């Protein structure tokens, strides 16, 4: 949870300089005029260590400069005062940096707790459906960005959602929290997938109306499993549809995507979903744009369907991690949130 530590070479450099100056002056038969190097030791220590260690390195620098055995004991008063001043200033900087890191630790701990509350870890099973998910936010240092997913078991069966809200990073977390809250409530009292989708759309329309410049919208795909897990109904609102893994083959599910959430679904006509029969051992793989649109150095998209057919063998729980590792090998840089969800009915 702490900020990124200083590189290893920076952490070892103060000790290397202390040892190097000490050894060089002891073994040389002549006086070496290298006392100026000592001025770099306290600042370097302040970059990597706390105030106590910085005081130690500052003391060693002054000792090397003044102890007769090291042949550096004839500095001018200005040189000695300069080293002492730099050492004291380095201790102060180290103290300020340590306080800043402590505050950063606290803020990140609070942020992690809040983000975990918004998107809690996915359970291994929800009703008759086994689940495996992966989330990687595009904004470094955050756990949640603009993507979201959830799987819930309600009075009308198991329902799942995956979506992508407008924006990235922490600015999108409020919209993600609003949508997930609406989904979790709708699963409890809405009898069909269409009405659950309409509830999410209304949530964004209402939230957007509160701010004249919000223009909130989100793409999403929603699934509803039959009670016996022998079929699934799927609705897509501007989001890539799931793919079906069956007996080693990967099939893209053909579905007409509807308008994104937040643009007023009731005004766009009836939602067009599809119902897909399921066989024992079938798996549904949902992936966000961060997977489909990952590009290599030449601009080529990640061949998701083809690679998934190669990577699908093995445990379902590890499949998102295997795909993620493969995406990283393909893409030069990941610029979008990456979300994957594997659902195995009756598994």
């Amino acid at each position: 949870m702490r900020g990124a530590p200083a590189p290893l070479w920076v952490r070892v450099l103060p000790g290397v300089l202390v040892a190097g100056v000490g050894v060089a002056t002891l073994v040389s038969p002549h006086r070496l005029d290298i006392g100026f190097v000592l001025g770099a030791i306290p600042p370097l220590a302040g970059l990597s260590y706390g105030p106590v260690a910085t005081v130690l390195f500052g003391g060693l620098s002054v000792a090397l400069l003044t102890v007769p055995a090291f042949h550096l004991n004839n500095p001018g008063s200005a040189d000695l005062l300069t080293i002492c001043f730099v050492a004291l200033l380095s201790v102060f900087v180290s103290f300020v940096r340590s306080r800043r890191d402590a505050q950063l630790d606290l803020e990140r701990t609070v942020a992690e707790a809040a983000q975990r509350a918004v998107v809690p870890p996915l359970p291994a099973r929800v009703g008759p459906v086994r689940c495996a998910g992966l989330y990687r936010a595009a904004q470094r240092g955050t756990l949640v960005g603009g993507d979201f997913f959830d799987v819930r078991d309600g009075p009308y069966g198991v329902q799942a959602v995956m979506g992508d809200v407008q924006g990235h990073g922490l600015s999108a977390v409020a919209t993600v929290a609003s949508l997930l809250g609406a989904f979790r409530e709708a699963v409890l009292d809405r009898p069909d997938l269409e009405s659950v989708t309409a509830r999410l759309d209304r949530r964004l329309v209402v939230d957007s109306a509160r701010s004249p410049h919000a223009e909130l919208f989100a793409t999403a795909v929603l699934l509803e499993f039959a009670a016996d897990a022998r079929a699934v109904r799927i609705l897509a609102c501007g989001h890539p549809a799931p793919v079906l893994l069956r007996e080693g083959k990967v099939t893209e599910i053909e579905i007409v995507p509807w308008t994104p959430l937040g643009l007023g679904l009731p005004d766009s006509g009836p939602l067009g979903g599809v119902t897909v029969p399921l066989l024992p051992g079938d798996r549904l793989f949902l992936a966000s744009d961060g997977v489909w649109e990952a590009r290599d150095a030449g601009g080529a998209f990640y061949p998701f369907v083809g690679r998934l057919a190669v990577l699908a063998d093995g445990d379902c729980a590890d499949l998102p991690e295997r795909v993620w590792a493969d995406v990283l090998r393909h893409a030069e840089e990941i610029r979008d949130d990456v979300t994957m969800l594997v659902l195995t009915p009756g598994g």
Side-chain angles (χ1 to χ4, degrees), residues 92-141:
F92 174 74
V93 171
S94 177
F95 173 76
V96 173
R97 183 187 58 79
S98 300
R99 291 291 299 272
R100 183 205 61 188
D101 285 349
Q103 182 65 28
L104 181 61
D105 288 348
L106 177 60
E107 292 176 356
R108 287 187 174 178
T109 301
V110 173
E112 180 184 13
Q115 292 170 342
R116 293 289 188 190
V118 172
V119 184
L122 194 66
R125 177 182 292 273
V126 178
V129 180
R130 281 200 298 156
C131 310
L134 179 141
Y135 196 117
R136 295 293 184 272
Q139 183 171 328
R140 186 168 299 184

Side-chain angles (χ1 to χ4, degrees), residues 101-329:
D101 285 349
Q103 182 65 28
L104 181 61
D105 288 348
L106 177 60
E107 292 176 356
R108 287 187 174 178
T109 301
V110 173
E112 180 184 13
Q115 292 170 342
R116 293 289 188 190
V118 172
V119 184
L122 194 66
R125 177 182 292 273
V126 178
V129 180
R130 281 200 298 156
C131 310
L134 179 141
Y135 196 117
R136 295 293 184 272
Q139 183 171 328
R140 186 168 299 184
T142 62
L143 300 176
V144 176
D147 285 4
F148 63 94
F149 62 78
D150 201 1
V151 184
R152 295 280 162 164
D153 190 5
Y156 306 99
V158 174
Q159 298 188 15
V161 64
M162 174 182 283
D164 182 0
V165 309
Q166 176 192 24
H168 298 288
L170 296 178
S171 62
V173 172
T175 306
V176 169
S178 182
L179 277 175
L180 286 177
F183 172 74
R184 291 160 185 169
E185 287 292 327
V187 166
L188 297 177
D189 56 20
R190 308 309 297 177
D192 55 69
L193 198 60
E194 285 79 2
S195 60
V196 172
T197 306
R199 178 70 64 85
L200 300 184
D201 176 72
R202 187 184 71 176
R203 178 72 270 164
L204 278 187
V205 170
V206 171
D207 289 349
S208 184
R210 294 175 179 174
S211 176
H213 305 293
E215 298 180 354
L216 300 176
F217 66 89
T219 62
V221 58
L222 293 94
L223 299 87
E224 181 181 52
F225 291 91
D228 58 2
R230 296 294 182 88
V232 62
R233 182 161 177 77
I234 306 172
L235 289 174
C237 298
H239 197 278
V243 297
L244 177 66
L245 287 75
R246 175 177 291 171
E247 297 179 351
K249 298 181 179 180
V250 179
T251 303
E252 296 185 65
I253 298 175
E254 296 184 1
I255 182 172
V256 178
W258 213 243
T259 56
L261 301 173
L263 302 182
L265 293 180
D267 299 331
S268 305
L271 295 174
V274 298
T275 300
V276 179
L278 298 173
L279 301 177
D282 284 354
R283 290 174 286 176
L284 293 164
F285 197 108
L286 294 79
S288 66
D289 291 340
V291 177
W292 289 92
E293 299 177 1
R295 298 172 182 259
D296 63 11
F301 288 109
Y302 176 66
F304 174 59
V305 174
R307 294 300 301 160
L308 187 58
V310 176
L311 300 169
D313 293 337
D315 190 359
C316 295
D318 298 332
L319 181 55
E321 291 288 351
R322 295 199 298 273
V323 175
W324 169 241
D326 197 54
V327 171
L328 289 179
R329 286 191 292 268

